[in-house]
Amino acid sequence: MSHNEMGIKPILFDELADRLVELGGGSHPSELHGLLCGLLAGGERPGVEAWQRQVAGMLSDEPLDEVSLQQFAAMYEGTRLQLEQGDFGIQVLLPDDEESMEQRTEALGLWCHGFLSGFGESAASKKLSEDLNGILHDFSEIAQIQESDESDETERFFLEVSEYVRMALLNVFAEMNSDEEAAAPVPAEENSRLH
């Protein structure tokens, strides 16, 4: 059963952008989605209420209105379900293709920045594989991308990078949230090794 069949509407970039503007514009939709994906991928399950409090704290520390609470609850549950089900339909939350390359590139960089923040918060004390460290390094590079050229080549490059980020998200989540990973003790010699 997909998250749509369970009555959870997927998050739409424009709806979330409008909501954030109404709440004072303290965050970017892509960065917020990246933060949530990073928390979940790192193994943390803060729950809907803790997520709503975290968002409120990032925006203004004012209590969120009912519509906002519902939207952030749906964002949390929808994203969590997609990741836990290994749903290859999950998308990195970015502006529509009609938006300028500059806006889309900035949003992808902000998503990666948010992911790194959330992942750092939830996986700070966990041992990471070499592959996973490589992905995090790539995300930190992507977070700094500044590309606004509107050429076909740039469009192709952007699509390749955003698809890489999407698949990397699924890989990080799978590695950090597998039962074997959680159950297997880290050998002492590996535990002391730095990458």
Side-chain angles (χ1 to χ4, degrees):
M1 183 184 297
S2 77
H3 62 287
N4 280 344
E5 292 164 1
M6 294 169 67
I8 297 175
K9 237 174 52 163
I11 327 156
L12 299 176
F13 181 90
D14 289 340
E15 278 181 21
L16 185 56
D18 291 345
R19 173 69 39 206
L20 292 172
V21 167
E22 286 174 30
L23 294 170
S27 191
H28 188 281
S30 299
E31 188 170 22
L32 198 58
H33 186 247
L35 176 70
L36 177 57
C37 288
L39 287 169
L40 296 171
E44 192 167 316
R45 299 293 179 275
V48 169
E49 289 179 10
W51 170 244
Q52 291 166 331
R53 282 193 302 276
Q54 186 167 359
V55 172
M58 289 169 60
L59 297 173
S60 64
D61 255 340
E62 294 291 316
L64 297 172
D65 60 63
E66 194 55 41
V67 174
S68 299
L69 288 171
Q70 288 175 1
Q71 191 164 20
F72 294 124
M75 177 185 195
Y76 178 87
E77 286 300 336
T79 304
R80 182 186 62 77
L81 279 170
Q82 283 186 308
L83 286 169
E84 287 178 355
Q85 293 171 356
D87 186 342
F88 286 95
I90 192 168
Q91 295 295 320
V92 173
L93 190 63
L94 299 173
D96 291 336
D97 293 348
E98 296 80 49
E99 300 299 334
S100 73
M101 181 55 65
E102 185 173 10
Q103 285 179 289
R104 290 159 64 206
T105 302
E106 178 192 24
L108 184 60
L110 286 168
W111 189 96
C112 288
H113 182 268
F115 180 91
L116 291 168
S117 297
F119 189 81
E121 191 177 312
S122 65
S125 62
K126 297 179 182 171
K127 182 193 177 309
L128 306 180
S129 70
E130 203 170 314
D131 286 347
L132 209 151
N133 276 314
I135 288 171
L136 297 179
H137 175 75
D138 291 344
F139 278 17
S140 68
E141 294 286 312
I142 294 166
Q144 298 172 50
I145 282 181
Q146 294 182 350
E147 181 59 73
S148 56
D149 179 9
E150 297 286 344
S151 70
D152 288 346
E153 188 178 337
T154 304
E155 177 75 25
R156 229 178 358 264
F157 177 70
F158 175 82
L159 292 173
E160 284 174 15
V161 172
S162 55
E163 180 62 10
Y164 166 77
V165 168
R166 184 177 83 85
M167 294 308 293
L169 162 62
L170 292 169
N171 288 332
V172 172
F173 184 87
E175 180 174 329
M176 295 298 292
N177 291 272
S178 70
D179 292 337
E180 302 79 49
E181 180 73 21
V186 177
E189 66 275 6
E190 282 190 48
N191 202 16
S192 62
R193 190 178 66 193
L194 293 174
H195 291 285

